[in-house]
Amino acid sequence: MTARTARRVLALAAFAGSFSPAAQAREEPLWEAGFGGVALELPDYRGSSRSRTYALPLPFFVYRGEVFKADREGVRGILFDSERVELQLSVGASLPVDSDRSPLREGMESLSPAVEIGPSLEVHLWKSRASGAKVDLRLPLRAALTVESHPKYIGVQFFPHLNVDLEDVPGLKGWNVGMLAGPVFTDRRYNDYFYSVGEGDATATRPAYAAKGGYGGMQFILGASRRIEQWWLGAYVRYDTLRGAAFEPSPLVDSRRYVAGGIGLSWVFAQSGRKAAPAR
């Protein structure tokens, strides 16, 4: 897999996994599949001032199983479930960085894409059975591995956040809205991979730097989606601030805040005849 292909795959996974339709109290198909396109505006990495625009195909897949799920809350496995608490297997991803196209990293080794996997404890703080609105506290702890011929472990990320989901928002008939916010924490090894500069890579304008672990800034995401018969429309915007982050002094960080986002459209052409169990 080339870096460019991997970048596209991971960007699509992050977009579709976060903003696919959620199962509601009514009966819905066990799975649905479709295809469409997406336009994304993404930075090279957190802390980079360089962003790129991607116009890419968008596969659409929703699975509403009792143990495995792929929906607007991401791809995950339910390890434990009660009225108040869920323990899930959570999955994430980060994009590759081509150092030849990043002025701050010129001459340095390019960064491989990475997958993140680990447990996530989800505490249900409040839910309205009438409207479907809910507020959750999510505590995902993920270990990161590079995606390459010889994968390597690159550290751990912890992203505790509050998540608010609103279904069929008043005044926005038919639209589902999701909002989340929380701090990011990463260990020394994780930050070393992205933000350290070794003595051999140091230049007059890029001094050597050894990254430390700790607070990694705040992240805010607002997403919206709507289903119109066989069509699905989704959009999101994300704001990151790195003020006070442990790696903020790195010479590879030239933007302490940034906005990213995307919009996608998919045609849902297939679905299961079997119905999923109603969501709690």
Side-chain angles (χ1 to χ4, degrees), residues 172-279:
L172 297 172
K173 186 174 177 58
W175 285 92
N176 297 327
V177 175
M179 298 169 282
L180 67 83
V184 179
F185 298 92
T186 44
D187 69 358
R188 182 203 59 78
R189 190 164 184 167
Y190 189 98
N191 290 341
D192 179 70
Y193 182 72
F194 287 98
Y195 302 107
S196 285
V197 178
E199 294 291 344
D201 292 320
T203 66
T205 58
R206 186 176 63 205
Y209 176 78
K212 300 178 181 179
Y215 174 68
M218 290 286 294
Q219 190 172 108
F220 307 85
I221 299 179
L222 172 64
S225 64
R226 183 176 181 180
R227 184 71 175 270
I228 305 175
E229 296 181 351
Q230 297 305 110
W231 292 93
W232 174 85
L233 174 65
Y236 84 100
V237 61
R238 167 179 157 181
Y239 173 75
D240 275 48
T241 173
L242 303 183
R243 292 293 181 185
F247 52 81
E248 184 182 4
S250 170
L252 302 180
V253 172
D254 66 344
S255 176
R256 274 67 182 177
R257 64 177 70 89
Y258 67 86
V259 176
I263 185 169
L265 178 68
S266 282
W267 172 50
V268 183
F269 56 75
Q271 65 180 33
S272 168
R274 179 182 171 188
K275 300 299 182 180

Side-chain angles (χ1 to χ4, degrees), residues 60-82:
F60 177 97
F61 182 72
V62 175
Y63 185 80
R64 305 182 179 97
E66 293 186 19
V67 176
F68 176 79
K69 296 180 183 292
D71 56 28
R72 69 180 294 177
E73 297 176 17
V75 178
R76 64 205 191 280
I78 308 299
L79 306 177
F80 172 80
D81 189 9
S82 74

